Amino acid sequence: AQTVTQSQPEMSVQEAETVTLSCTYDTSENNYYLFWYKQPPSRQMILVIRQEAYKQQNATENRFSVNFQKAAKSFSLKISDSQLGDTAMYFCAFMRGASGTYKYIFGTGTRLKVLA
Amino acid sequence: DARVTQTPRHKVTEMGQEVTMRCQPILGHNTVFWYRQTMMQGLELLAYFRNRAPLDDSGMPKDRFSAEMPDATLATLKIQPSEPRDSAVYFCASGPQGLDTDTQYFGPGTRLTVL
């Protein structure tokens, strides 16, 4: 069975600084997808970034980038130039790539606080 | 800007009452998911549908929960009878067909409080 582990329950970062959130996962699959979702105090779950396991290039979305290490089964999220609006819970999620399988497995989340 | 919508946003009810939560997936999306979020359990997948057919509802307590998709624009999650332990935020998410079928887009959630 697949598992997703986020070992940092809480983190804080100064505004404009860079922070990295860690995520590790366990799977025997070769084809899968990884995601980072953000949940601000409004509770809305917002997709931050998506990575396909067969792509070696790390995904990037503006200030958000990932460090995807397939062999190590690691998928960390780097937030550059942190902004107050980045304060939120961040969830890492895994999905198998098998056809017809759409189930996400979520980590327990990391609460990030950006300090002014 | 297409979004998943959920109603109601907040619901307070008494134990034993029936609760119905509604979700309108993004137009054209063919997968719909129901999640429950609590502090203790985190995000749990309750059920999901593809092309309106239930694919997996193994995460859902069968005796009191039911999920349906009467049509492509409406998904419902019903709890009858409700219990205090059902208090949680319930999210609906939908996923598109095509190249990014793996991506799920979440609604704003329904915060349910059962007294």
Side-chain angles (χ1 to χ4, degrees):
Chain A
Q2 291 85 11
T3 58
V4 176
T5 301
Q6 293 180 251
S7 59
Q8 305 152 314
E10 292 186 2
M11 295 189 72
S12 61
V13 62
Q14 289 293 134
E15 197 175 8
E17 297 293 308
T18 295
V19 64
T20 299
L21 310 182
S22 67
C23 172
T24 58
Y25 56 94
D26 187 23
T27 184
S28 57
E29 304 282 336
N30 191 49
N31 183 26
Y32 51 88
Y33 301 88
L34 295 163
F35 308 85
W36 280 98
Y37 280 85
K38 166 185 175 181
Q39 187 177 39
S42 67
R43 297 196 322 265
Q44 176 77 54
M45 291 283 285
I46 302 165
L47 176 66
V48 174
I49 203 162
R50 165 183 174 269
Q51 176 80 41
E52 298 157 349
Y54 63 86
K55 288 188 176 179
Q56 292 187 349
Q57 186 173 6
N58 288 326
T60 299
E61 286 289 342
N62 300 315
R63 298 182 295 106
F64 299 88
S65 61
V66 298
N67 183 6
F68 174 47
Q69 302 288 328
K70 191 172 183 179
K73 297 178 182 175
S74 171
F75 183 61
S76 60
L77 175 70
K78 185 171 82 171
I79 306 174
S80 304
D81 185 25
S82 298
Q83 300 175 359
L84 296 177
D86 297 332
T87 292
M89 281 287 284
Y90 286 81
F91 292 95
C92 178
F94 169 100
M95 194 193 88
R96 288 174 57 200
S99 176
T101 302
Y102 303 94
K103 295 172 70 168
Y104 276 19
I105 298 169
F106 282 94
T108 51
T110 295
R111 186 176 301 279
L112 175 68
K113 188 170 184 178
V114 180
L115 306 171
Chain B
D1 186 22
R3 297 188 181 192
V4 175
T5 58
Q6 289 185 247
T7 57
R9 295 293 308 276
H10 303 272
K11 176 73 175 179
V12 180
T13 191
E14 292 191 347
M15 183 173 63
Q17 297 298 304
E18 177 178 300
V19 174
T20 298
M21 291 169 272
R22 294 176 175 81
C23 167
Q24 183 173 12
I26 294 172
L27 189 65
H29 283 193
N30 70 333
T31 53
V32 174
F33 305 81
W34 283 105
Y35 291 89
R36 175 169 64 183
Q37 185 179 34
T38 62
M39 288 293 293
M40 294 300 294
Q41 300 296 327
L43 277 157
E44 303 173 275
L45 178 65
L46 296 176
Y48 71 101
F49 296 77
R50 185 180 185 213
N51 295 325
R52 296 177 56 201
L55 285 192
D56 189 339
D57 61 2
S58 60
M60 205 163 63
K62 299 292 191 304
D63 56 339
R64 299 182 300 107
F65 284 61
S66 62
E68 295 180 345
M69 278 202 76
D71 62 61
T73 64
L74 177 64
T76 62
L77 179 66
K78 188 175 295 186
I79 308 174
Q80 168 63 23
S82 57
E83 297 180 2
R85 60 180 168 152
D86 301 329
S87 296
V89 180
Y90 291 82
F91 287 101
C92 173
S94 70
Q97 303 182 73
L99 293 177
D100 59 346
T101 55
D102 51 281
T103 304
Q104 297 180 19
Y105 297 88
F106 284 74
T110 294
R111 180 179 288 278
L112 174 66
T113 302
V114 183
L115 302 174

